[in-house]
Amino acid sequence: MASSPQSVFNVFVYGSLLADDIVRALLKRVPPSNPAILHNYHRFSIKGRVYPAILPVENKRVNGKVLLDITVPELNILDAFEDVEYERTTVDVSLMDSSKTLQAETYVWVNKRDPDLHGEWDFEEWKVLHKGDFLKMTMGFSEEMELPESKTRVATYESFYAQEENKSKP
């Protein structure tokens, strides 16, 4: 008997998707979630971007959360949002409240030798400095996705932030 295709997924998030508002803008709901740890990965800041990247690094860990019961259409939205810069990968994460291990999808930075990756990304700092604009960009992306000729997330991000920079010039 052939195994039936998976109908719901767990997705480990570690960056902007830790913010319920961003998830709601994309999925039109906030799925149940659990705090979780991804071992042997590191969360980097990316020069010129306000969102982070993760890559495998031994003996490091990334704190995040697992979104539970993500449907296939929702996973497709997240794939489009993460775009070509990330590769969806299946990983094992440890739940913080029970130390149970769970299989989850997560988005790993494609360019493993990217010179723009540095330091460590900070969610609390992001919430204060960048969340407002990022939410506006995400809502624009979400509306755009419903159009037949939608732009990619990277194109949406770049045009949004270019407009914001122009607004702030005297």
Side-chain angles (χ1 to χ4, degrees):
M1 209 174 92
S3 66
S4 60
Q6 198 172 335
S7 56
V8 290
F9 294 81
N10 303 316
V11 178
F12 177 76
V13 296
Y14 55 82
S16 61
L17 294 173
L18 290 170
D20 287 348
D21 303 359
I22 305 291
V23 173
R24 189 181 294 108
L26 285 171
L27 304 184
K28 311 290 182 256
R29 71 180 185 113
V30 178
S33 66
N34 272 322
I37 299 165
L38 176 59
H39 290 281
N40 296 313
Y41 276 79
H42 180 73
R43 176 172 39 205
F44 293 93
S45 289
I46 310 166
K47 192 174 147 205
R49 308 266 170 184
V50 303
Y51 49 84
I54 61 168
L55 282 175
V57 178
E58 260 187 68
N59 301 321
K60 292 281 194 179
R61 54 188 262 175
V62 176
N63 291 344
K65 69 183 180 187
V66 179
L67 304 178
L68 305 166
D69 304 329
I70 298 295
T71 64
V72 172
E74 288 174 332
L75 195 63
N76 293 337
I77 292 169
L78 295 176
D79 284 350
F81 184 67
E82 299 299 351
D83 208 2
V84 296
E85 296 177 312
Y86 296 88
E87 181 172 44
R88 179 155 49 84
T89 308
T90 306
V91 293
D92 289 327
V93 295
S94 307
L95 297 183
M96 285 186 198
D97 51 10
S98 66
S99 70
K100 205 169 82 174
T101 301
L102 206 59
Q103 215 175 49
E105 302 297 301
T106 196
Y107 294 90
V108 177
W109 197 244
V110 168
N111 183 355
K112 305 215 172 346
R113 294 193 177 80
D114 193 333
D116 290 339
L117 301 185
H118 64 94
E120 182 141 8
W121 187 82
D122 184 326
F123 178 61
E124 296 306 317
E125 183 181 284
W126 176 87
K127 278 200 302 201
V128 174
L129 298 178
H130 303 294
K131 184 179 150 197
D133 277 347
F134 199 86
L135 181 58
K136 277 189 261 177
M137 185 278 295
T138 304
M139 289 162 99
F141 169 79
S142 226
E143 286 161 19
E144 180 85 30
M145 267 188 83
E146 289 162 22
L147 306 174
E149 293 292 307
S150 61
K151 285 198 294 243
T152 64
R153 199 271 309 148
V154 170
T156 305
Y157 178 91
E158 286 170 353
S159 65
F160 176 86
Y161 280 90
Q163 285 166 4
E164 289 301 304
E165 271 176 36
N166 291 339
K167 280 184 205 164
S168 61
K169 286 180 182 152

